[in-house]
């Protein structure tokens, strides 16, 4: 059969079959740019996997204060470069094929999966640039240990990019299966496993952050602050201790001491 790779596709492109009626053989004809799509999937899964690894490194910053930041930066930048390269492959068309035109949603089979994959892909490739800017402009840590302003935005945006990027890889696996007939399992398993790790790591980070904030909430604002109970006890001691104030009757002194003790108990709780 005569065929043209430029005309044979009637939708977003799923390849075709070339039949030889003389021999009865069939030959698969892949869409133009098929290998680019496969390489795109590998680069994206690897890129966001590296970004996840870089975020996991940041979780251990207390264990290696002199090393973690360099490792975090290097791994994250490498992941960003791979993701950008993956996007570039989708914008590169081989030959003159009209079927692989990027972001062409006019075809009949350009459903919500394809559209969502394209929109999410663009977002998670360019959002890390904003995250880098936030990292450069972030405020210094305050003594409370709370994440605020640009520092908070840097952390939140980083995890959003990782989770959205890996989730988008799941959509991409479905699209590669549709367009090329490839088994989606390698992409699905890799992205799903990393999503599970990201979920656990994020849950640990939130739990640890909330726990640390809870520990610090009972302390004063200055360095080496004291607990509320210690402050209350100091106030009791400074208020006259066991003795009666000048001009105070013994009965009033007993009532005052009972009240002060109750304040200490409440502050401790």
């Amino acid at each position: 059969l005569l065929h043209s790779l430029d005309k044979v596709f009637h939708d977003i492109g799923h390849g075709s079959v070339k039949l030889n009626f003389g021999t009865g053989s069939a030959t698969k004809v892949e869409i133009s740019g098929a290998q680019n799509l496969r390489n795109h999937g590998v680069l994206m899964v690897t890129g966001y996997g590296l970004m996840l690894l870089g975020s996991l490194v940041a979780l251990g910053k207390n264990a290696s204060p002199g090393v973690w930041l360099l490792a975090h930066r290097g791994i994250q930048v490498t992941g960003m470069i791979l993701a950008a390269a993956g996007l570039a492959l989708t914008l590169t068309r081989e030959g003159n094929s009209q079927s692989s035109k990027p972001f062409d949603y006019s075809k009949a089979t350009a459903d919500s999966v394809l559209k969502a994959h394209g929109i999410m892909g663009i977002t998670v490739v360019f959002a890390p640039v904003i995250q880098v800017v936030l990292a450069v402009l972030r405020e210094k840590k305050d003594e409370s240990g709370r994440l605020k302003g640009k520092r908070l935005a840097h952390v939140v945006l980083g995890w959003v990019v990782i989770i959205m990027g890996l989730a988008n890889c799941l959509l991409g696996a479905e699209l590669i299966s549709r367009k090329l007939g490839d088994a989606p399992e390698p992409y699905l398993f890799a992205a799903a496993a990393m999503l599970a790790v990201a979920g656990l790591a994020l849950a640990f980070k939130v739990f640890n952050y909330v726990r640390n904030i809870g520990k610090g909430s009972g302390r004063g604002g200055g360095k080496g602050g004291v607990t509320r109970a210690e402050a209350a006890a100091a106030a009791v001691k400074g208020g006259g201790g066991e003795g009666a104030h000048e001009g105070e009757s013994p009965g009033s002194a007993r009532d005052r001491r009972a009240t002060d003790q109750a304040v200490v108990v409440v502050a401790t709780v």
Side-chain angles (χ1 to χ4, degrees):
L1 288 178
L2 296 177
H3 68 281
S4 168
L5 290 178
D6 289 335
K7 304 299 181 182
V8 72
F9 307 108
H10 57 82
D11 50 25
I12 60 173
H14 294 76
S16 61
V17 176
K18 182 180 179 180
L19 297 176
N20 187 321
F21 290 106
T23 62
S25 63
T27 304
K28 178 182 177 181
V29 180
E30 289 190 332
I31 64 171
S32 179
Q35 192 56 46
N36 271 3
L37 292 178
R38 295 188 181 99
N39 294 337
H40 163 75
V42 171
L43 285 172
M44 286 302 192
V45 172
T46 305
Y48 291 104
L50 284 175
M51 291 186 199
L52 171 60
L53 177 61
S55 296
L56 294 179
V57 167
L59 293 179
K61 57 187 175 183
N62 293 330
S64 55
V67 178
W68 80 269
L69 186 57
L70 290 176
H72 173 70
R73 288 173 175 172
I75 295 171
Q76 295 296 82
V77 170
T78 303
M80 289 171 58
I81 292 173
L82 292 180
L87 175 63
L89 283 180
T90 66
L91 304 178
T92 302
R93 292 161 52 203
E94 297 178 358
N96 297 314
S97 174
Q98 299 300 310
S99 65
S100 58
K101 183 184 295 185
F103 307 108
D104 182 4
Y105 298 147
S106 63
K107 305 297 183 181
T109 52
D111 60 3
S112 57
V113 176
L114 179 65
K115 295 176 182 177
H117 181 72
I119 294 171
M120 289 175 65
I122 289 290
T123 301
V124 296
V125 167
F126 287 102
V129 177
I130 301 174
Q131 196 207 9
V132 171
V133 173
L134 291 171
V136 173
L137 301 178
R138 71 189 186 280
E139 306 86 350
K140 292 183 178 180
K141 279 187 176 180
D142 60 21
E143 296 173 356
S144 69
R146 294 177 182 271
L147 294 174
K148 299 177 181 178
K150 300 180 189 69
R151 184 176 289 274
L152 175 62
H154 172 72
V155 173
V156 171
L157 181 59
W159 283 102
V160 169
V161 166
I162 290 170
I163 292 175
M164 280 186 62
L166 292 173
N168 204 34
C169 289
L170 298 179
L171 298 181
E174 165 64 18
L175 292 173
I176 285 181
S177 177
R178 288 188 197 176
K179 291 171 69 69
L180 307 181
D182 291 0
E185 285 78 11
Y187 304 99
L188 288 174
F189 290 157
M194 285 186 278
L195 266 176
V197 173
L200 291 174
L202 183 58
F204 170 79
K205 183 176 181 65
V206 171
F207 170 78
N208 198 45
Y209 176 71
V210 172
R211 184 185 63 176
N212 290 338
I213 293 300
K215 286 182 178 180
S217 64
R219 298 192 173 274
K223 293 182 179 179
V226 296
T227 64
R228 289 177 296 175
E230 292 169 342
V236 171
K237 183 177 180 180
E242 295 294 328
H245 290 175
E246 183 178 355
E248 185 178 34
S249 66
S252 298
R254 285 194 300 270
D255 293 340
R256 176 177 53 78
R257 289 195 296 272
T259 301
D260 291 341
Q261 290 171 356
V263 170
V264 172
V265 171
V266 172
T268 303
V269 173

